[in-house]
Amino acid sequence: MGGQAVIEGVMMRSPTCIATAVRTAGGGIAVQTEPFTSLVRRYRPLNIPVVRGAIAFVETFVIAIKSLSFSAEKASEELPGQEDAAAPGDGEKKPQKGLSFIHIFLTILAAFALGFGLFFYLPLFLTELTGFTHGVLFNLIDGVIRLVFLVLYIVLITRWKEMRRIFEYHGAEHKTISAFEEEGRATLENVQPYSTVHARCSTSFLLLVVVVSIVVFMMLGRPQSIGDKLVRFAFIPVIGGVSYELLKLSAKPSVRPYLALLVWPGMFLQRLTTKEPSSDQIEVAIAALDACLGDKMVES
């Protein structure tokens, strides 16, 4: 099982299904489920290390857009009566339903563009200003700057009050998945004691990406031209694939002690990106899990 926090809700993903549950303005829980089987499972030749990680990265991006679009639509729906009172005049047009998906897509696309600029090319530019030319030292400084940027970014968004509820739902997602993985079920009572930290969290993944990028870029040497910088960009799927394999491996209890030094920083950062959820938020996470594991594909 895997998942992510969305606007006023949680998305859960199993090997065969995706379910998104959202707390509506009226206090109910809206759930959307759809069947989903990864390309890696459908086409066995793709299920090889590193390649499957790159595919999972793209699939996660697509799923995130769909889930965020649904959550934005449901969380912003008005209560019965409010919609009538705020109905537009005869000469006005109602907003189109599809706009939320477009807005979410463009927002995430812009965030990715900003992320590449902030976490890959800006550190590279700043490292070039230092004057170091030795490949290993150059890339080590580049990686340290990238790591500092990542930590500062996480610290800054934790101070954004509107993000707190997202972090609480993030915690609810982790606690619910942990309860299900340990006990085979998730109820309000058995979910509560679990930690908001989880070994397969995307926060840990981001940190692994930074660490792996340092090693990969060291092998590429110091970029001398625009072409060399574009080669770095082309290696991002490889970095993501290797990071995926390390994250997957580190989640295994038998291997975890050997990768403790690599995993611990990511687990520590999760203390910033997850918060203790309320019972209402845990109920939403459980609703997403139950829908994801159920046979019925419905929207309620």
Side-chain angles (χ1 to χ4, degrees), residues 6-298:
V6 294
I7 301 170
E8 287 301 321
V10 172
M11 180 275 289
M12 290 288 188
R13 175 181 172 182
S14 75
T16 59
C17 177
I18 300 167
T20 305
V22 180
R23 180 72 70 180
T24 65
I29 301 176
V31 180
Q32 181 187 63
T33 63
E34 62 176 302
F36 177 83
T37 303
S38 172
L39 289 172
V40 170
R41 288 179 173 270
R42 282 184 280 168
Y43 303 102
R44 291 296 178 182
L46 297 177
N47 191 19
I48 58 176
V50 182
V51 172
R52 63 189 177 191
I55 293 172
F57 178 79
V58 175
E59 288 178 338
T60 300
F61 175 71
V62 175
I63 292 170
I65 293 175
K66 290 182 178 180
S67 300
L68 284 169
S69 178
F70 172 76
S71 68
E73 179 185 333
K74 290 299 179 182
S76 62
E77 280 185 351
E78 296 178 330
L79 293 171
Q82 290 181 333
E83 186 177 353
D84 295 336
D90 295 336
E92 298 178 24
K93 292 182 179 179
K94 292 184 179 180
Q96 296 180 16
K97 187 176 181 180
L99 284 179
S100 60
F101 177 86
I102 296 173
H103 289 162
I104 292 292
F105 175 79
L106 292 176
T107 299
I108 294 180
L109 196 63
F112 267 88
L114 179 62
F116 284 132
L118 182 62
F119 298 117
F120 280 89
Y121 285 104
L122 182 56
L124 185 61
F125 172 75
L126 294 176
T127 305
E128 288 176 340
L129 295 179
T130 64
F132 288 101
T133 57
H134 189 276
V136 173
L137 185 58
F138 179 92
N139 285 292
L140 182 60
I141 295 173
D142 174 50
V144 170
I145 294 174
R146 194 178 306 115
L147 181 60
V148 170
F149 278 13
L150 175 63
V151 174
L152 285 176
Y153 171 78
I154 291 176
V155 170
L156 286 174
I157 63 173
T158 59
R159 307 185 76 83
W160 185 11
K161 292 182 179 180
E162 285 74 9
M163 286 296 295
R164 182 173 181 87
R165 288 191 64 79
I166 297 289
F167 293 150
E168 289 170 354
Y169 277 110
H170 191 191
E173 174 227 328
H174 283 180
K175 290 165 74 78
T176 301
I177 289 178
S178 295
F180 173 74
E181 290 176 340
E182 288 292 327
E183 304 179 33
R185 64 191 182 93
T187 65
L188 188 58
E189 291 74 23
N190 80 326
V191 166
Q192 293 279 12
Y194 285 91
S195 171
T196 60
V197 173
H198 195 280
R200 297 193 308 274
C201 177
S202 57
T203 304
S204 297
F205 175 76
L206 288 175
L207 193 64
L208 282 174
V209 165
V210 173
V211 174
V212 172
S213 70
I214 295 174
V215 178
V216 172
F217 291 158
M218 279 182 177
M219 292 187 291
L220 295 177
R222 181 180 182 273
Q224 302 288 343
S225 64
I226 295 177
D228 292 340
K229 294 176 182 179
L230 290 176
V231 168
R232 283 181 166 234
F233 183 82
F235 265 83
I236 290 175
V238 176
I239 293 169
V242 173
S243 302
Y244 171 85
E245 297 299 332
L246 287 173
L247 186 69
K248 192 173 182 180
L249 191 63
S250 67
K252 296 182 178 181
S254 59
V255 180
R256 195 176 301 164
Y258 302 101
L259 297 177
L261 288 176
L262 189 63
V263 173
W264 179 83
M267 302 290 276
F268 176 78
L269 282 180
Q270 286 184 52
R271 302 291 181 183
L272 299 176
T273 61
T274 61
K275 301 295 181 184
E276 194 64 35
S278 65
S279 297
D280 288 348
Q281 290 169 322
I282 293 175
E283 286 177 355
V284 174
I286 293 173
L289 177 70
D290 290 344
C292 195
L293 297 174
D295 295 326
K296 293 177 66 178
M297 302 299 170
V298 299

